[in-house]
Amino acid sequence: MIVTDALTALRGRLRAAHLASGEMSTREIARRAHGAVSHTAAHQVLRAANLPTWKTLEPVVAALGADTEEFKELWMRARSEQGKKEDRAETRRRYQESVSPELAVPLNLFRKYIAIQEVEKAKEFAAAYLKSQPYYDVDLIVEVHDSLYYRDREFVKGLAKWIEEFIEGGDVKEIETARVAHLLARKCLEGANPGRALSFTNRAIILNPHHHGPLSIHSEVLTALGLYEEAEEFAIAAYEIDPDPAPFLYTPYADLLLIKRNFKKLEQLASDSYNRSGGLEGGEVSPFAQCLMICGKFDLAASVLQEKLALEDSPKYERIDLLITLSNALWQTGDYRAARSALQSDPLYKTENSLQLKNGNLMAMSGERDGEASIKILEKLVNAKGDPD
């Protein structure tokens, strides 16, 4: 059995939940979330190139009709793994950020409490320390909010308003850590405000110009602003520092290559990422196959997916994703019957609504039945009911 890292598991489970919803649009997700998340933020969450905040993930999961407690456990595991990776990266960092002693002491003590799972101590310390200060320090406030939001929303409720006010008009020069500048830039992107995000990514790079995170999100912001040439420069720099932050297809660099229609480079870098992850034995088979399809290599994508499915060692949510992707690849080749057969012939088909919904959608799109029958199928999909055969 292949061991899957927590973020990959979360990404796969999220995709399965989205498929089970009938691939609900991001605008519909935003509508059902009642303003808790924008449609652009919902898109970023579904993509899960990076670990989303729980604040944005939870309403998306709820809108999809999935189990929020299940996703919270997956998210906490991914966050814990991310923290360990960041700790390891800290020891390898070529450049150490300079933080004032006045900030370093309380910030590091709070982080230590969180690291050893002393959450109550962390809350008590944060509450007492912040109350004793004549003014709030943006780095500590954001760190406390980010670390405690999913553990105790009530505790950080007052901090959220302060952070929003800082995002709107705070002086970015007050920020002393690249991590906090990065987090604030992410919040701006989730709020569809790339112009303000740019000021935070600039600050993050100034604080730590040798870490891939600030460079990558800076590229993402520049892309959102349509500054593609500048964005590519920073995307390449981030990639050179860390070629494996996620499946390559989910990186800002991949977005830029798609925008510029450089499919040859996209396939090459996605293939490198796929091979480094272990090829068929790794967790990047579905993203790699999607990349091959984008590059017009549908038969090759189908072949890779069929080889992976033949191994029969994938978790259920991952197998569902692989089957859906395989049906898409076969559909693109023009073999509509094979696309449906790939779903129907798998043992999971009888019990998994997402596979049945996908099959019904393929039936409606293929024109194999008359218009009235197709309408009935689509009505069932909209209502997430029925079992098209």
Side-chain angles (χ1 to χ4, degrees), residues 167-386:
I167 287 175
E168 288 180 13
D171 184 357
V172 297
K173 291 182 180 178
E174 292 181 18
I175 302 171
E176 294 189 47
T177 65
R179 169 177 160 76
V180 164
H182 189 148
L183 287 171
L184 292 176
R186 179 60 61 193
K187 288 180 181 294
C188 290
L189 277 181
E190 290 172 353
N193 189 0
R196 181 57 171 164
L198 191 63
S199 63
F200 291 116
T201 58
N202 280 329
R203 182 62 177 167
I205 292 171
I206 288 171
L207 291 167
N208 196 335
H210 300 296
H211 192 276
H212 74 88
L215 298 170
S216 182
I217 194 171
H218 189 63
S219 172
E220 198 173 336
V221 171
L222 290 169
T223 300
L225 292 169
L227 302 173
Y228 303 134
E229 295 304 320
E230 292 178 54
E232 185 170 15
E233 178 186 344
F234 284 93
I236 292 172
Y239 179 79
E240 288 175 347
I241 292 172
D242 183 4
D244 290 312
F248 184 74
L249 186 62
Y250 301 145
T251 64
Y253 193 7
D255 289 344
L256 282 162
L257 292 174
L258 279 169
I259 290 169
K260 299 180 77 172
R261 298 182 57 79
N262 191 344
F263 300 119
K264 182 177 181 180
K265 188 70 172 179
L266 176 67
E267 182 184 350
Q268 174 200 329
L269 296 179
S271 179
D272 290 345
S273 178
Y274 167 70
N275 289 326
R276 280 193 299 269
S277 75
L280 288 175
E281 299 296 329
E284 293 191 19
V285 178
S286 184
F288 179 54
Q290 291 174 54
C291 181
L292 290 173
M293 283 190 281
I294 289 170
C295 295
K297 299 189 175 181
F298 310 119
D299 289 325
L300 181 55
S303 176
V304 169
L305 290 160
Q306 288 164 338
E307 287 184 56
K308 176 64 175 178
L309 285 164
L311 297 178
E312 296 185 347
D313 60 357
S314 304
K316 184 171 74 171
Y317 67 81
E318 185 179 338
R319 188 171 184 84
I320 291 171
D321 183 25
L322 291 166
L323 287 165
I324 295 287
T325 309
L326 174 60
S327 71
N328 288 338
L330 293 170
W331 182 270
Q332 293 286 357
T333 67
D335 195 342
Y336 305 145
R337 291 187 180 278
R340 291 184 55 204
S341 177
L343 302 169
Q344 293 174 301
S345 62
D346 194 90
L348 287 176
Y349 180 78
K350 292 183 179 180
T351 58
E352 290 302 319
N353 190 47
S354 57
L355 298 181
Q356 296 165 12
L357 289 173
K358 181 64 177 179
N359 180 50
N361 207 19
L362 293 180
M363 290 167 61
M365 293 191 323
S366 68
E368 292 181 9
R369 297 188 177 187
D370 60 34
E372 184 178 344
S374 294
I375 288 173
K376 288 182 180 179
I377 292 168
L378 292 170
E379 287 174 342
K380 288 180 180 180
L381 294 175
V382 168
N383 296 318
K385 295 177 182 178

Side-chain angles (χ1 to χ4, degrees), residues 29 45-46 49-50 64 120 145 152 170 174 209 230 232 254 260 281 285 287 343 367:
I29 291 171
V45 168
L46 291 175
N50 301 294
L64 293 174
E120 290 305 315
H145 184 271
D152 190 337
E174 292 181 18
E230 292 178 54
E232 185 170 15
K260 299 180 77 172
E281 299 296 329
V285 178
L343 302 169

Side-chain angles (χ1 to χ4, degrees), residues 133-189:
Q133 300 304 300
Y135 61 90
Y136 279 173
D137 186 290
V138 60
D139 291 273
L140 187 58
I141 289 293
V142 173
E143 190 85 28
V144 170
H145 184 271
D146 184 61
S147 298
L148 296 180
Y149 176 82
Y150 66 97
R151 293 180 168 100
D152 190 337
R153 292 189 194 182
E154 196 64 32
F155 181 85
V156 300
K157 185 181 292 184
L159 304 182
K161 184 178 180 181
W162 189 93
I163 291 171
E164 289 303 320
E165 290 176 353
F166 186 89
I167 287 175
E168 288 180 13
D171 184 357
V172 297
K173 291 182 180 178
E174 292 181 18
I175 302 171
E176 294 189 47
T177 65
R179 169 177 160 76
V180 164
H182 189 148
L183 287 171
L184 292 176
R186 179 60 61 193
K187 288 180 181 294
C188 290
L189 277 181

